[in-house]
Amino acid sequence: MSAQAPSTVVPTDAELLQAQADLWRHSLYYLTSMALRCAVQLGIPTAIYHNGGASTVPDLITALSLPATKLPFLRRLMRLLAASGVFTVDNSGEEAIYRISPTSYLLVDGVADDGHINHSSIVLSATSTHCVEAALGFADWFKKDVVTPPFKELHGATLFHDSMEDIDEEYHRLANEALASHDNFGIDMALRQFSDIFEGIQSLTDCGGGDGTTARAIVKAFPHIKCTVLDLPEVIEKIPADGVINYVGGDMFKFVPPAQVVILKLVLHHWSDEECVKILAQCKKAIPSREEGGKVLVGDIVIGSSPGPILETQLLMDIAMLTVSKGRQRDENDWHEIFMKAGFSDYKLVKQFGARGVFEVYP
């Protein structure tokens, strides 16, 4: 007997009209990104901030020295960005007043706050032609029997690596500035929220710790902790000795300096599962038993840890990793699997931190 054709559920008129609107929105999402890029390039968040945190569009035309003919067009751009949450808007008067939101606060230059990190480089890097062109080639990439990331397949270079510098020195600088902003943001907040995690720790290795920003913040908050930073020799040799942090140049796939605790903060999402297992296995060798306080702290995105916009962000970040690297973002089951494969006995998802989570992983 032939298989019965599946029944088709015919959408209602209302559902079809909503579906059309949804398709328009999804197809045009890139224009929100481009509008945001435009706002950063023009310096709109900084202009509003330095105007007391609120500006009309005519105010912006004057502050940014834009042609008066652009007034109606800038109104349309700002309306979209406000609807997207980049700015807040007060429409109660004759002229809309735009204010800095938490999102646009991260795009302001010259904020007198030690914890503020400007995220403009992240916007400009992610919306660059280098990344957009790699994403435009998804369909062709999926048809090929290759696992090389689309970015490298297209450009012949790896994002954040010296091979990219040979192709576009300015973009290489921008991308690494974006990476530093991404990795270093929120350290002080994390140390305040996670202070209990550091209780009883005497020594710590920050694996892939770059210029030591995280390690220095830890020592400032917890002066009794002896901190070591491990990174590639070419990274470490550029860092001046400060007598506070012990800097070690090396390869985390081969050796991790011994400590009571090892930190992997926003490191593992750059690597494949197999590579993560190798890194974690070296971390396990570097720490004592659980009874002696040995553990690995992993800070990274945990897909599905929060619903709504945070989940969408996590999934978008996963496709971003697919585009530019061998790595990926993982849900808790994925993390459990690589922890166990690396030889650990147990773990605990300790905290949620925006789109990220913090694990304690035990030998």
Side-chain angles (χ1 to χ4, degrees):
M1 177 185 264
S2 61
Q4 196 171 26
S7 59
T8 302
V9 177
V10 179
T12 64
D13 290 352
E15 288 172 334
L16 286 171
L17 289 170
Q18 180 61 52
Q20 182 189 48
D22 289 341
L23 284 177
W24 287 349
R25 187 177 75 257
H26 289 302
S27 299
L28 297 173
Y29 259 148
Y30 75 96
L31 290 175
T32 302
S33 299
M34 293 303 122
L36 178 59
R37 178 182 178 87
C38 175
V40 168
Q41 290 175 316
L42 292 176
I44 290 174
T46 301
I48 295 176
Y49 181 82
H50 289 300
N51 195 48
S55 293
T56 64
V57 174
D59 290 336
L60 291 173
I61 290 287
T62 301
L64 301 172
S65 301
L66 299 177
T69 53
K70 291 298 192 291
L71 180 64
F73 306 107
L74 188 59
R75 283 196 176 106
R76 290 156 68 181
L77 186 87
M78 293 299 293
R79 182 173 60 185
L80 170 63
L81 291 172
S84 303
V86 177
F87 302 105
T88 62
V89 61
D90 177 0
N91 285 309
S92 60
E94 290 186 11
E95 190 72 49
I97 299 173
Y98 293 92
R99 292 187 171 86
I100 294 295
S101 71
T103 300
S104 49
Y105 179 74
L106 295 179
L107 301 172
V108 174
D109 276 330
V111 175
D113 178 356
D114 290 341
H116 183 270
I117 293 179
N118 191 310
H119 283 52
S120 295
S121 57
I122 294 177
V123 173
L124 297 177
S125 177
T127 58
S128 70
T129 55
H130 293 294
C131 289
V132 172
E133 287 173 354
L136 285 171
F138 275 168
D140 289 338
W141 181 81
F142 272 102
K143 294 172 185 176
K144 296 178 183 178
D145 188 16
V146 298
V147 293
T148 305
F151 188 98
K152 186 173 183 179
E153 180 80 4
L154 175 64
H155 300 299
T158 301
L159 190 63
F160 310 126
H161 291 181
D162 291 345
S163 57
M164 192 67 224
E165 185 175 21
D166 295 336
I167 294 173
D168 188 334
E169 184 177 353
E170 176 60 24
Y171 179 69
H172 177 68
R173 181 202 61 75
L174 178 69
N176 279 281
E177 182 182 325
L179 181 64
S181 298
H182 172 271
D183 289 356
N184 293 331
F185 177 72
I187 293 172
D188 292 340
M189 284 186 282
L191 290 175
R192 289 194 297 271
Q193 293 185 28
F194 307 158
S195 59
D196 54 322
I197 292 178
F198 293 89
E199 290 180 4
I201 295 177
Q202 299 301 316
S203 62
L204 178 151
T205 292
D206 187 2
C207 193
D211 65 1
T213 298
T214 298
R216 287 192 298 274
I218 290 173
V219 170
K220 182 179 179 181
F222 307 98
H224 66 281
I225 298 180
K226 180 181 178 181
C227 279
T228 296
V229 168
L230 171 71
D231 216 306
L232 295 171
E234 56 266 34
V235 173
I236 296 299
E237 67 186 14
K238 298 176 183 177
I239 305 170
D242 57 16
V244 177
I245 307 299
N246 177 35
Y247 293 97
V248 176
D251 183 346
M252 62 186 171
F253 286 95
K254 297 178 180 178
F255 172 74
V256 173
Q260 185 182 10
V261 173
V262 172
I263 288 183
L264 289 163
K265 179 177 69 70
L266 301 173
V267 170
L268 297 179
H269 65 212
H270 291 286
W271 302 99
S272 69
D273 289 358
E274 294 76 13
E275 289 165 324
C276 286
V277 169
K278 292 177 182 178
I279 294 168
L280 285 163
Q282 292 299 329
C283 294
K284 184 173 180 292
K285 292 179 184 177
I287 59 175
S289 67
R290 182 173 181 176
E291 291 71 26
E292 296 175 279
K295 61 184 176 183
V296 176
L297 293 176
V298 175
D300 230 312
I301 283 177
V302 184
I303 292 177
S305 55
S306 300
I310 287 286
L311 175 59
E312 184 179 17
T313 296
Q314 293 166 341
L315 297 174
L316 286 168
M317 289 292 285
D318 183 46
I319 299 303
M321 298 310 294
L322 180 155
T323 307
V324 303
S325 78
K326 296 182 290 183
R328 66 187 184 106
Q329 310 297 351
R330 298 171 172 90
D331 62 25
E332 187 171 350
N333 288 333
D334 297 324
W335 286 114
H336 171 267
E337 185 173 347
I338 64 173
F339 294 154
M340 297 303 106
K341 284 184 177 179
F344 289 88
S345 64
D346 198 7
Y347 76 92
K348 178 168 63 174
L349 179 55
V350 183
K351 299 273 187 180
Q352 294 300 135
F353 191 64
R356 293 163 279 174
V358 176
F359 292 99
E360 286 186 337
V361 192
Y362 309 111

